[in-house]
């Protein structure tokens, strides 16, 4: 078992004052903010920037972070941060700006290193700039994990940096920073968090710590995700979803996600289906595959999710939530052609890092059946 250190976390109404205190205590004089083009226009970003500029502090903003940013883009950000002589980095946004900020905190402090040098497991040098995070979605949990997902545009593959050195120093969970998120994004990112927690609870790498975090996250998601979608300005539901995402991140960050995420990768890679939605589409067929021999753990998840200590209750309850959230019920309705299922089945078999920690083995025929069930949706399967 390995338990990584975690950032100092501030949530809710205390988070903004805490941000001001932390910037002062760290004696940050030149703050570099990494964000995206949409979130940089929201009121919460303006409030954070104004707060950061207090006390004569200089602030520079890079607001052009794209989804799964390329190695070249994070190097460009880092060059700007170096030229600005930044002494701290703040990531503000969804998973991509936060993932980019992690790399900027390294490269802005180092000459002679490229982003490609960091790709892989534990290839990041120890020294970096102080790293602060403000998530604007409740799903990726980048604010607590060792991961930064980039894109190698030459090889045309995802390039992941995995290192304890990029666990941020501080995270500020500000409910108002998530209220501009459209309901569809709230729903999909919330399902991502649910998958992080539920997969961690069944993972072969699970441990007593990840178990506690996973069940707490599942409980919070079941109680708050629908409200956060229907009442976007509900600060309590928003804060609870941020905390749920954080707990789910601590769960899978200290164990692993499993086959749902593995099956979601080809959906993202071949069909550009957003990560959270891709996981949502694969939840039922993968968990149905995992039900055998894992009834006790599935019952625990069901109890946390819907109050019934019954392994058979989990999948229908998740399907019901997805329907209430308005999420697509099948790969067919999400626009995936049936003719691509074979290619995706072959592709998922290469994601051995995640399949190997799935509780039940998955072979090629299992993969074909799982994608076929996901294609048909609930009407075509046993739910
Ligand atoms: Fe995820």
């Amino acid at each position: 078992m390995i338990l990584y250190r975690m950032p100092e976390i501030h949530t809710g109404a205390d988070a903004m004052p805490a941000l001001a205190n932390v910037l002062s205590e760290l004696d940050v004089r030149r703050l570099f903010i990494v964000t995206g083009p949409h979130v940089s226009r929201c009121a919460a970003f303006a409030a954070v920037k104004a707060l950061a500029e207090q006390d004569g502090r200089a602030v520079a903003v890079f607001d052009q972070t794209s989804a799964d940013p390329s190695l070249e883009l994070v190097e460009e950000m880092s060059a700007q941060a170096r030229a600005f002589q930044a002494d701290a980095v703040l990531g503000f946004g969804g998973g991509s700006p936060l993932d980019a900020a992690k790399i900027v905190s390294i490269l802005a402090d180092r000459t002679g290193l490229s982003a490609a040098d960091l790709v892989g497991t534990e290839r990041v040098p120890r020294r970096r700039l102080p790293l602060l995070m403000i998530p604007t979605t409740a799903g990726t949990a980048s604010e607590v994990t060792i991961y930064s997902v980039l894109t190698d545009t030459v090889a045309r593959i995802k390039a992941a940096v995995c290192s304890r050195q990029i666990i941020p120093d501080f995270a500020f969970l500000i409910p108002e920073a998530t209220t501009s998120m459209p309901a569809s994004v709230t729903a999909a990112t919330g399902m991502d968090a649910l998958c992080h927690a539920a997969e961690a609870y069944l993972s072969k790498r699970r441990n007593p710590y990840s178990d506690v975090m996973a069940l707490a996250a599942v409980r919070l998601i079941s109680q708050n995700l629908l409200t956060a979608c229907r009442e976007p300005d509900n600060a309590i539901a928003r804060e609870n979803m941020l905390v749920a995402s954080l707990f789910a991140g601590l769960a899978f960050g200290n164990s692993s996600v499993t086959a749902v995420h593995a099956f979601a990768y080809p959906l993202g890679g071949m069909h550009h289906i957003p990560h959270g939605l891709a996981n949502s589409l694969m939840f039922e067929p993968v968990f149905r595959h995992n039900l055998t021999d894992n009834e006790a753990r599935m019952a625990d998840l069901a109890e946390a999710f819907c109050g019934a200590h019954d392994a058979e209750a989990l999948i229908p309850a998740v399907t019901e939530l997805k329907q209430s959230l308005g999420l697509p019920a099948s790969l067919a309705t999400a626009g995936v052609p049936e003719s691509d299922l074979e290619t995706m089945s072959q592709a998922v078999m290469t994601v051995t890092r995640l399949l190997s920690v799935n509780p039940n083995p998955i072979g090629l025929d299992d993969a074909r059946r799982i994608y076929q069930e996901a294609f048909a949706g609930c009407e075509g399967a046993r739910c």
Side-chain angles (χ1 to χ4, degrees):
M1 176 167 85
I2 180 168
L3 296 182
Y4 290 106
R5 71 171 178 83
M6 61 184 286
E8 182 176 306
I9 309 284
H10 298 270
T11 75
D14 297 333
M16 285 288 272
L19 173 61
N21 288 339
V22 166
L23 290 171
S24 295
E25 286 168 14
L26 294 177
D27 196 24
V28 175
R29 304 313 307 157
R30 303 184 69 79
L31 179 67
F32 191 80
I33 302 179
V34 177
T35 186
H38 299 298
V39 285
S40 64
R41 285 187 232 119
C42 75
F45 180 80
V48 165
K49 183 167 179 283
L51 182 145
E53 287 172 334
Q54 288 174 3
D55 305 326
R57 189 176 295 111
V59 174
V61 178
F62 184 96
D63 65 0
Q64 294 301 312
T65 310
S66 55
D68 296 332
S70 67
L71 299 175
E72 295 80 10
L73 187 63
V74 292
E75 286 182 357
E76 182 187 330
M77 297 176 201
S78 303
Q80 290 189 20
R82 231 178 358 249
F84 176 65
Q85 296 184 305
D87 56 10
V89 176
L90 169 66
F92 184 104
S96 295
L98 302 195
D99 283 0
K102 289 173 168 177
I103 305 305
V104 172
S105 74
I106 305 287
L107 298 183
D109 196 38
R110 296 274 182 146
T111 51
L113 268 182
S114 70
D117 292 333
L118 309 180
V119 173
T121 301
E122 296 302 348
R123 298 185 63 198
V124 178
R126 188 169 180 81
R127 199 186 77 214
R128 61 162 168 74
L129 296 179
L131 181 58
L132 295 71
M133 297 274 161
I134 299 178
T136 63
T137 62
T140 68
S142 179
E143 70 272 15
V144 289
T145 69
I146 65 170
Y147 305 109
S148 172
V149 180
L150 309 173
T151 302
D152 183 333
T153 49
V154 177
R156 297 173 70 185
I157 54 169
K158 295 253 179 92
V161 177
C162 312
S163 172
R164 63 172 70 86
Q165 306 301 347
I166 58 172
I167 296 172
D169 302 304
F170 298 88
F172 304 89
L173 308 187
I174 302 168
E176 293 74 20
T178 67
T179 55
S180 65
M181 200 181 2
S184 59
V185 178
T186 301
T189 52
M191 287 301 299
D192 186 26
L194 179 65
C195 291
H196 292 160
E199 289 176 80
Y201 196 71
L202 289 190
S203 163
K204 284 183 179 175
R205 293 183 58 205
R206 69 198 182 218
N207 55 66
Y209 177 80
S210 63
D211 283 352
V212 170
M213 289 293 135
L215 292 180
V218 168
R219 210 170 285 119
L220 280 169
I221 293 164
S222 76
Q223 293 166 351
N224 293 279
L225 179 52
L226 194 55
T227 305
C229 286
R230 290 180 173 169
E231 303 170 25
D233 294 325
N234 186 319
I236 294 172
R238 290 292 192 182
E239 181 178 352
N240 284 337
M241 279 306 300
L242 281 166
V243 173
S245 170
L246 172 86
F247 285 178
L250 292 169
F252 88 86
N254 290 289
S255 58
S256 180
V257 288
T258 61
V260 174
H261 271 66
F263 277 79
Y265 282 171
L267 293 175
M270 291 176 62
H271 298 286
H272 305 290
I273 294 178
H275 177 73
L277 179 56
N279 286 319
S280 169
L281 287 162
M282 298 311 306
F283 184 94
E284 289 97 328
V286 170
F287 271 74
R288 201 174 295 120
H289 178 81
N290 284 338
L291 187 53
T292 306
D293 297 333
N294 297 293
E295 288 85 354
R297 291 221 150 227
M298 293 279 276
D300 292 344
L301 287 170
E303 183 164 24
F305 192 74
C306 60
H309 194 78
D310 174 4
E312 299 280 349
L314 177 67
I315 294 170
V318 170
T319 299
E320 188 179 331
L321 174 65
K322 285 168 56 176
Q323 287 170 345
S324 301
L325 293 169
L327 289 167
S330 69
L331 297 186
T333 52
V336 176
E338 191 168 9
S339 56
D340 282 356
L341 300 189
E342 177 60 26
T343 308
M344 293 195 302
S345 301
Q346 303 276 349
V348 74
M349 294 312 297
T350 68
V351 193
T352 52
R353 180 177 63 88
L354 299 184
L355 294 184
S356 64
V357 292
N358 193 65
N360 290 359
I362 293 179
L364 182 57
D365 284 343
D366 298 315
R368 290 176 175 133
R369 176 179 44 76
I370 287 168
Y371 271 132
Q372 192 66 54
E373 287 186 17
F375 181 80
C378 287
E379 296 77 19
R382 289 177 284 125
C383 67

